[in-house]
Amino acid sequence: MREYDVVGRAYFLEKYGFGKSRDYMLSDPDSGRLYDSKAIVGAAFAYAFPGEGPLRGRILRRRGNRGAAPGRAWV
């Protein structure tokens, strides 16, 4: 989230290949700032696994994962 704050939303999303969040935002409890949830998770993956790059849908599909839409009870 620190990088997001430093470079700004537009650059961060472009750098990691994500669009603006449509459904969910990540909230920083200390500052109250909101962040695009998928982009933050994708960037965190890139930090944890530098050789893999940011986590994106194509990487998940290449690994055999498929998306699923959880029911409203998950929210």
Side-chain angles (χ1 to χ4, degrees), residues 6-74:
V6 170
V7 301
R9 182 184 195 193
Y11 181 81
F12 188 88
L13 294 176
E14 182 179 326
K15 177 180 177 180
Y16 291 103
F18 288 90
K20 294 178 181 179
S21 290
R22 291 176 279 176
D23 296 317
Y24 299 100
M25 298 292 284
L26 180 65
S27 175
D28 180 345
D30 295 326
S31 69
R33 291 185 186 115
L34 296 175
Y35 301 91
D36 296 271
S37 56
K38 290 180 184 178
I40 294 295
V41 171
F45 183 87
Y47 277 95
F49 305 100
E52 294 284 328
L55 184 62
R56 296 190 185 125
R58 78 177 156 74
I59 291 173
L60 292 173
R61 286 188 296 275
R62 185 173 65 214
R63 292 181 176 191
N65 296 293
R66 294 187 312 183
R72 294 293 296 167
W74 285 51

